[in-house]
């Protein structure tokens, strides 16, 4: 008697709770081992890049909120930095520092959601509750500054929308003071936990070479041992003035990426601490700039300010005719904007390099040879968001 | 002359002789900001000073090291700032357009404009397309300006002007409106006038309310909201409207324009650039757009009773069937206006084919066909282009006032007269003065009705003794001069100029209907000694698709029914059904013919607007879409096909003509393919030019005693097809029709301007208010075409070009 064996195709998602959004993976199984896999994306496509061609540069800022909605502040910053580079301007020092604070808080918040869901997927419920407790503190800070709790729309071309509110610095300091303790708590729960180790160590390996060849970025790349951080390589918003380390891990497995992100939260805290200690005074948005609307008072009393404001809101800015690629280090990796400007107030073409999209493409390489139960561990370790991947 | 080589911002450029620095920079894509400059003008204004540049003369070696060492910037040794729009470049000089000093100077100029500019961008119609707003952003004005809005100079807002709203507070005095009015339109209605408060304002030179061609040019070219259209004010913001590039279908010029549409409504018309008409538009093109909403026929009807469209279409089929079964297919005639689209004309022809009749009449195209036939025989039939007018040496216009007929040609001629190299010559043969007289043309003032004699005189001057070979009964020149009443000296000059080179002949199609005119014009052209390719004939008409009608008829010559034939058939009772594509048959046929229509069995009308009423035994009216409501094609004067784009949705039950004819065709069990208009008509080149034989017969007119005056129909620039009477702009510019007589006649009859008079002829009468002119002969009454309230055709008793009438004061006994 002979037993016939064959590979089986299994469909995972797009409504699976552990695929972190609408990801569908077609798994080819040889028993319980994964012989091959094919991620399918695009379920959340909203045509942002095309929409951008039909709106003024400043009108696109709220759309960037809806890319990686767990790190809206970072997306805002990434986009406005790209436009500022196109225009050849820089935000005032105070605005730059505020943006750094916000984006580093955003990084911590994003990583907290990653840790919470990643751990929950693998079976650690407690961590989920703790992480969301700390994230709540950050969101309260964001709400105080921007008025919103998820999509902040806070950065502006040439600065930020509002100055920091009263009491922000104190509340932020309180958070920074308690956060290292909390981090240690997470470490105690997971880092040496036997179950955690067996579910993450040696799982979903991406070698250094593979990581580079797949074009991965962010913690995925650094988890494979490449020391690459855009904040260091192409500093923006004054990152060159902050002292911080770029954590890496040579293993390239799920555990390695876990350690990198855990350390990144500590480094972000370091940056914020430096930023609030040396927060400069001054305006939070460029004054007398041809790209920024004058203040309300000026618009209502000076005709030249009123006229500038009208043109900026109706026709938009007078941009130089140029093409430009600008990227920043987002929690998920390298978020880049490729802008083709024809000199008008609307981008002729705006391409978004979404780190989630590119990191997902490396997933089949990581999955091959692992068990089917490890899929969710790998997904968790890649930490992608479909708002950004599908755009 | 050789090209001039110099540098702009370090870029080596070369200028053609006569070019200014700004023109060279524009050609090379180097940006120099400018406000008052426009390519539409023949010369720069030099008022705004925004285009200032500095010029320096450096030895070659110095410059090279200078350019290599730095990013190109000017050294300290520059000239004072010079306007680039006026300055001609000098060989080997270095022009710098954007030094810090220039930036600052430009900012200072903008600040000067800002000083008294009111804070009302929020309510100003120009917001969003205002060049002052753009300048403020471009030169980044941020401070250094003390403004006192409580103590602005009190300027006069001219709300009383028709169509144009002039608010001098918003004016930056770039003088573009003054320039375009003078330079392009040749009107000079606007000027910069010194006012009591000590400053200047744009106003009419004498301070009276604006009375001009109301052509929209000043409104269109105004950089700010100072000159605004009253018809558009507060209707929409500039960025809310969709701009649809389309062709104007109000006259055969076919100018390009942009329809500004919001919420399925045309709110205004703006210029389209670049275009062959240089963005210029006339009153109709710019302001007649709301004819689409007024006086429209909205429902199909049978004998004035509203009916469902499908019923009327079914009824049309059944009635036609009945008539053709009873009297034969030849008893149906199709009459077309010449202002309907080519699609509608082809639909009409297809309908004729369905019925099986070849009786198609285009009453307004009769003159143009006569000319074509004559030209074909003479070997001159060709399609001239607009470029030919721009380059032609001599323009000879007879019996037509170009300003009123085809404004585009008027602009071309004015532009030509401003040119230094292509001035050309202009001969105007007309019985009265026109706007173009300002250009000092050769004027041949003749007695109306003596056009043939005038042409004979010219031919004789040019061809000499040879004339006798093809003209029989040629009278003595002295007799001809006596009949025409022209000045012998002007005649001599005119003949000399016609001979001098390329010739464009412009002639009114109404005049062409007169026998002999077409033949004599062909003879004159041959006698000028030009090659056939150097002669262009321009039949001038107000009917927008006259050329489309011409092409259709030349392609289908056996479908030609002429007015005389039609009249005869109608009188003999041969015709039992008439299908009319157009608004009003009584406007294109003389009154006695129209009155005979009452006896026929069926009258079907495909019309857009409610104008007049024709009573047959059975009347069917089918509403059709205007050219705003469907994609339709027209053929312009230079024989090019242009498209009037669909810009708004028609109301329910209003369909394009071709859709309705398609529905009728279905009743005939025929499936009609969509109409594709092509303009592939080609003219056969003829090597041989032949003089056309002509026998001169003096007209022996017996002036009827009770009708001592002659009525002539003229064109008005404020109307073309009668449907344009329903546009607000033309209505404001000229509210109602009028009758024009000479001041001498008015005095003799004791009539005053604006008196209501009654014009009586053999076949009818109508009332009009009186206009008195100084330049008319004493026995003439002139009535314009296209006004909805006065129909000159109702006075005509035959297909002649003039009619004998009497005039009397309305409402009283003379």
């Amino acid at each position: 008697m002979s037993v016939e064996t064959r590979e089986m195709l299994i469909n995972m998602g797009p409504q699976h709770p552990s695929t972190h959004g609408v990801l569908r993976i077609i798994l080819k199984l040889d028993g319980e081992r994964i012989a091959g896999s094919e991620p399918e994306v695009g379920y959340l496509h909203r045509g942002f890049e095309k929409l951008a061609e039909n709106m003024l540069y400043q009108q696109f800022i709220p759309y960037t909120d809806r890319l990686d909605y767990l790190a809206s502040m970072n997306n805002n910053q990434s986009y406005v930095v790209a436009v500022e580079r196109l225009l050849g301007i820089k935000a005032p020092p105070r605005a730059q520092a505020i943006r750094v604070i916000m984006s580093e808080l955003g990084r911590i918040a994003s990583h907290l959601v990653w840790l919470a869901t990643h751990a929950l997927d693998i079976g650690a419920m407690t961590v989920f509750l703790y992480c969301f407790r700390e994230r709540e503190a950050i969101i309260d800070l964001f709400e105080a500054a921007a008025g919103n709790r998820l999509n902040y729309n806070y950065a502006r071309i040439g600065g930020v929308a509002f100055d920091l509110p009263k009491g922000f610095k104190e509340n932020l300091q309180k958070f920074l003071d308690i956060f290292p303790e909390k981090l240690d708590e997470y470490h105690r729960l997971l880092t040496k936990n036997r179950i955690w180790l067996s579910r993450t160590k040696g799982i979903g390996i991406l070698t250094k070479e593979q990581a580079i060849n797949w074009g991965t970025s962010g913690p995925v790349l650094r988890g494979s041992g490449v020391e690459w951080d855009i904040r260091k390589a192409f500093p923006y918003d004054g990152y060159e003035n902050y002292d911080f380390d770029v954590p890496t891990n040579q293993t390239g497995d799920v555990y390695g990426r876990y350690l990198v992100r855990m350390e990144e939260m500590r480094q972000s805290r370091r940056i914020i601490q430096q930023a609030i200690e040396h927060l400069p005074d001054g305006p939070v948005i460029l004054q007398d700039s041809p790209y920024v609307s004058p203040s309300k008072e000026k618009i209502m009393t000076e005709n030249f300010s009123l006229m500038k404001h009208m043109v900026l809101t109706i026709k938009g800015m007078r941009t130089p005719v140029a093409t430009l690629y600008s990227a920043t280090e987002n929690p998920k990796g390298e978020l880049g904007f490729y802008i083709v400007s024809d000199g008008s107030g609307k981008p002729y073409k705006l391409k978004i390099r979404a780190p989630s999209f590119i990191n997902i493409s490396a997933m089949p390489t990581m999955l091959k040879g692992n068990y089917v139960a490890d899929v969710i561990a790998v997904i968790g370790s890649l930490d992608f968001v479909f708002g950004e991947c599908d755009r | 002359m050789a090209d001039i080589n110099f540098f702009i911002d370090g870029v080596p450029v070369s200028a053609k002789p006569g070019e200014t620095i700004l023109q060279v920079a524009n050609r090379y894509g180097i940006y120099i900001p400018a406000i008052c400059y426009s390519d539409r003008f023949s010369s720069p204004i030099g008022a705004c000073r925004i285009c200032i540049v500095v010029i320096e003369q450096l030895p070659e070696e110095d410059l090279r090291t200078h350019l290599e060492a730095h990013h190109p910037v000017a050294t300290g040794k520059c000239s004072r700032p010079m306007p680039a729009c006026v300055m001609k470049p000098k060989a080997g000089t270095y022009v710098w357009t954007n030094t810090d000093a220039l930036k600052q100077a430009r900012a200072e100029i903008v600040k000067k404009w800002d000083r008294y500019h009111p804070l009302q961008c929020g309510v100003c119609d120009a917001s969003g397309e205002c060049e002052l707003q753009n300048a403020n952003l471009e030169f980044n004005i941020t401070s250094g300006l003390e403004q006192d809005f409580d103590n602005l100079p009190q300027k006069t807002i001219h709300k009383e002007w028709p169509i144009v709203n002039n608010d001098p507070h918003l004016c930056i005095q770039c003088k573009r409106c003054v320039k375009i009015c003078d330079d392009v339109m040749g009107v000079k209605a606007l000027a910069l006038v010194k006012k009591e408060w000590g400053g200047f304002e744009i106003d009419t030179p004498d301070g009276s309310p604006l009375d001009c061609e109301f052509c929209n040019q000043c409104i269109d070219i105004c950089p700010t909201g100072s000159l605004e259209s009253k018809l558009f004010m507060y209707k929409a913001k500039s960025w809310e409207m969709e701009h649809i590039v389309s062709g104007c279908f109000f006259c055969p010029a076919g100018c390009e324009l942009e329809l500004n549409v919001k919420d399925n409504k045309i709110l205004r018309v703006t210029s389209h650039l670049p275009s062959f008409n240089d963005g210029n538009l006339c009153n109709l093109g710019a302001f007649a757009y709301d004819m689409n909403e007024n006086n429209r026929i909205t429902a199909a009807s049978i004998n004035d009773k509203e009916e469902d469209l499908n019923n009327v279409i079914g009824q049309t089929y059944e009635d036609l069937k009945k008539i053709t079964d009873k009297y034969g297919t030849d008893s149906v005639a199709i009459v077309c206006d010449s202002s309907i689209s080519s699609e509608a004309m082809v639909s009409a022809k297809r309908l004729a084919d369905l019925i099986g009749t070849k009786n198609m009449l285009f009453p307004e195209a009769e003159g143009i066909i006569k000319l074509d036939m004559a030209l074909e025989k003479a070997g001159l039939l060709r399609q001239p282009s607009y470029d030919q007018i721009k380059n032609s040496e001599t323009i000879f216009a007879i019996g037509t006032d170009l300003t009123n007929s085809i404004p585009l040609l008027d602009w071309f001629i004015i532009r030509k007269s401003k040119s230094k190299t292509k001035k050309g010559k202009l001969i105007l043969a007309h019985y009265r003065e026109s706007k173009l007289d300002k250009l000092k043309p050769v004027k041949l003032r003749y007695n109306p009705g003596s056009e043939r004699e005038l042409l004979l005189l010219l031919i004789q001057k040019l061809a000499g003794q040879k004339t006798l070979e093809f003209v029989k009964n040629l009278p003595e020149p002295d007799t001809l001069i006596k009949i025409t009443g022209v000045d012998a000296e002007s005649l001599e000059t005119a003949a000399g100029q016609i001979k001098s080179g390329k010739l464009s002949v412009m002639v009114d199609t109404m005049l062409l209907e007169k026998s002999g005119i077409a033949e004599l014009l062909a003879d004159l052209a041959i006698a000028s000694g030009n090659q056939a390719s150097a002669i262009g004939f321009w039949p001038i008409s107000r009917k927008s698709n006259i050329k489309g009608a011409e092409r259709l008829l030349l392609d289908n010559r056996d479908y030609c029914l002429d007015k005389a034939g039609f009249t005869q058939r109608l009188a003999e009772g041969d015709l039992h059904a008439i299908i009319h594509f157009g608004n009003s048959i009584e406007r294109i046929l003389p009154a006695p013919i129209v009155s005979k229509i009452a006896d026929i069995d069926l009258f079907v009308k495909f019309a857009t607007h409610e104008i007049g009423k024709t009573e047959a035994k059975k009347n069917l009216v089918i509403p059709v879409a205007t050219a705003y409501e469907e994609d339709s094609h027209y053929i312009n004067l230079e024989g090019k096909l242009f498209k009037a784009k669909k810009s708004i949705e028609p109301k329910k039950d209003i369909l394009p003509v071709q859709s309705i004819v398609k529905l009728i065709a279905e009743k005939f069990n025929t499936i009609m393919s969509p109409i594709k208009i092509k303009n592939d008509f080609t003219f056969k080149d003829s090597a041989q030019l032949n003089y056309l034989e002509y026998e001169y017969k003096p007209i022996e007119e017996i002036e009827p005693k009770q009708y001592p005056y002659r009525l002539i129909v003229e064109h008005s620039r404020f109307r073309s097809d009668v449907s344009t009477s329903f546009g607000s702009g033309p209505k404001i510019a000229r509210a109602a029709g009028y009758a024009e007589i000479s001041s001498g006649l008015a005095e003799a009859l004791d009539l005053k301007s604006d008196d209501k008079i009654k014009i009586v002829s053999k076949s009818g009468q109508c009332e009009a208010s009186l206009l008195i002119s100084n330049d008319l002969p004493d026995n003439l009454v002139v009535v314009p075409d296209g006004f909805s309230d006065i129909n000159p055709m109702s006075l005509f008793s035959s297909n002649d070009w003039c009619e004998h009438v009497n005039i009397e004061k309305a409402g009283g006994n003379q």
Side-chain angles (χ1 to χ4, degrees), chain B residues 156-162 166 188-196 201-211:
Chain B
T156 330
I157 302 176
H158 294 283
K159 287 186 178 163
E160 77 282 8
W161 288 8
N166 177 7
K188 288 191 184 176
L190 296 173
L192 203 56
V193 181
K194 184 146 191 175
K195 293 286 168 181
E196 276 170 22
E201 286 175 28
I202 296 288
D203 199 350
T204 51
D206 57 356
S208 59
L210 187 70
D211 182 19

Side-chain angles (χ1 to χ4, degrees), chain B residues 423-434:
Chain B
K423 248 190 175 66
K425 290 163 183 126
L426 181 63
I427 305 163
L428 295 179
H430 203 25
Y431 50 81
R432 63 184 302 185
E433 277 173 20
S434 73

Side-chain angles (χ1 to χ4, degrees), chain A residues 288 290 303-304 308 310 314-315, chain B residues 114 117 127-128 136 140 147:
Chain A
D288 296 346
N303 57 13
F304 46 86
K308 275 172 65 179
M310 293 298 286
I314 297 164
K315 284 191 186 161
Chain B
D114 285 345
H117 200 87
S127 250
N136 270 286
N140 197 23
Q147 289 174 309

Side-chain angles (χ1 to χ4, degrees), chain B residues 183-239:
Chain B
D183 194 52
V184 179
M185 306 306 296
V187 174
K188 288 191 184 176
L190 296 173
L192 203 56
V193 181
K194 184 146 191 175
K195 293 286 168 181
E196 276 170 22
W197 60 270
F200 287 86
E201 286 175 28
I202 296 288
D203 199 350
T204 51
D206 57 356
S208 59
L210 187 70
D211 182 19
C212 62
E213 293 188 12
F214 299 110
C215 63
N216 185 44
Q217 304 284 66
C218 52
I219 296 172
D220 196 71
I221 207 151
C222 181
T224 67
S226 182
L227 298 173
E228 275 296 337
S229 159
K230 282 181 167 178
L231 304 177
F232 172 67
M233 265 184 122
Y234 309 135
K235 290 256 170 76
K237 286 293 188 185
S238 62
W239 60 91

Side-chain angles (χ1 to χ4, degrees), chain A residues 287-291 298-312 314-318, chain B residues 31 114 117-122 127-129 132-134 136-138 140-143 145 147 149 239:
Chain A
Q287 304 295 304
D288 296 346
S289 159
Y291 308 110
K298 285 185 160 186
I299 289 171
M300 300 308 275
T301 52
E302 299 170 346
N303 57 13
F304 46 86
S305 300
L306 172 62
M307 285 190 258
K308 275 172 65 179
H309 172 67
M310 293 298 286
V311 185
L312 281 172
I314 297 164
K315 284 191 186 161
M317 302 169 292
R318 298 170 59 89
Chain B
Y31 175 67
D114 285 345
H117 200 87
L119 266 166
Q120 59 184 52
C121 295
S127 250
E129 52 187 21
L132 182 60
Q133 283 182 345
N134 293 350
N136 270 286
L137 184 68
E138 183 177 351
N140 197 23
I141 312 300
T142 51
S143 58
L145 186 55
Q147 289 174 309
F149 289 110
W239 60 91

Side-chain angles (χ1 to χ4, degrees), chain B residues 57-128:
Chain B
Q57 190 103 41
L58 276 176
E60 185 81 19
E61 313 80 63
D62 276 16
L63 185 90
R64 201 169 297 125
T65 48
H66 183 61
L67 287 181
E68 276 164 13
H70 316 282
H71 185 71
V73 283
T75 60
K77 294 169 263 171
C78 292
S79 71
R80 65 191 171 83
M82 306 277 198
C85 66
V86 179
M87 287 303 289
K88 303 256 163 68
K90 269 190 209 146
T93 50
Y94 306 96
V95 174
W96 304 102
T97 68
N98 214 12
T99 64
D100 288 342
L102 287 175
K103 278 185 204 163
Q104 207 182 336
R106 286 179 188 138
E108 287 304 321
I109 293 168
V110 177
K111 278 184 200 169
K112 194 186 83 192
W113 294 335
D114 285 345
R115 178 143 291 141
Y116 299 123
H117 200 87
L119 266 166
Q120 59 184 52
C121 295
V123 292
C124 179
D125 274 335
S127 250

